[in-house]
Amino acid sequence: MTAALSQPVPQGDYIPARRAGALIFTSGMTPRREGVLQFTGPVRRDQPLEEQRDAVRLACENALAAARGLLAEGESLAVILSLTVYVAAEPGFEAHSKLADFASARLREELGPAGIGARAAVGVATLPGNAPVEIQLIASV
């Protein structure tokens, strides 16, 4: 496990996450530390996927931090219901799902089998700040 990240810093007029009962919905999280983008895109089709591993994991950790920021004392995340991974990739890139596996692996590390829920891996032309990846979660407490 990695050290806990602080609450992600919004880059616009939104909040990191919203809770409704036992459900927590995160905003899309890019690979930032203290508001500073650590990786830039786009993901290249001829680039080894492993080169994007840290970017995907950091974005996922930010989504987890946003969700955990809404937990009351004594609560924990019970299950990830949905994971959406947006990939800013150049034309011809086809491994969106394999890239999303890095996020799934990170969630499994944190929550075991409960970390794996429904998932979408979506290719996009660009992401905020030229991020290579953006991750959004829906979790249950």
Side-chain angles (χ1 to χ4, degrees), residues 8 14 19 23 28 39 42 62 64 76 78 83 97 99 101 107 112 124 130 132-134:
Y14 63 91
R19 183 170 176 169
L23 297 179
F39 302 89
N62 284 331
L64 282 168
S76 62
L83 165 66
S97 185
L99 206 57
D101 284 343
L107 294 170
V124 298
N130 194 33
V133 64
E134 182 172 334

Side-chain angles (χ1 to χ4, degrees), residues 111-130:
L111 300 169
I116 306 302
R119 185 179 88 180
V122 182
V124 298
T126 63
L127 287 168
N130 194 33

Side-chain angles (χ1 to χ4, degrees), residues 40-44 47 52 85-91 93 96 99 122-128 130-134:
T40 57
V43 176
R44 308 267 179 225
Q47 179 182 49
Q52 294 297 329
V85 179
Y86 299 95
V87 180
E90 71 179 7
F93 181 80
H96 302 78
L99 206 57
V122 182
V124 298
T126 63
L127 287 168
N130 194 33
V133 64
E134 182 172 334

Side-chain angles (χ1 to χ4, degrees), residues 46-63:
D46 60 350
Q47 179 182 49
L49 290 178
E50 188 63 32
E51 289 185 21
Q52 294 297 329
R53 179 181 176 271
D54 289 343
V56 173
R57 288 177 61 91
L58 180 55
C60 188
E61 289 164 7
N62 284 331

Side-chain angles (χ1 to χ4, degrees), residues 2-8 32-33 57-63 65-66:
T2 59
L5 291 172
S6 61
Q7 274 290 296
R32 294 178 185 271
R33 263 192 222 293
R57 288 177 61 91
L58 180 55
C60 188
E61 289 164 7
N62 284 331

Side-chain angles (χ1 to χ4, degrees), residues 60-87:
C60 188
E61 289 164 7
N62 284 331
L64 282 168
R68 287 192 171 122
L70 297 181
L71 296 174
E73 188 173 334
E75 288 184 323
S76 62
L77 297 177
V79 65
I80 300 300
L81 299 171
S82 180
L83 165 66
T84 304
V85 179
Y86 299 95
V87 180

Side-chain angles (χ1 to χ4, degrees), residues 92-111:
F93 181 80
E94 298 177 353
H96 302 78
S97 185
K98 290 180 181 179
L99 206 57
D101 284 343
F102 293 131
S104 293
R106 183 68 186 97
L107 294 170
R108 187 185 304 273
E109 286 173 15
E110 285 291 316
L111 300 169

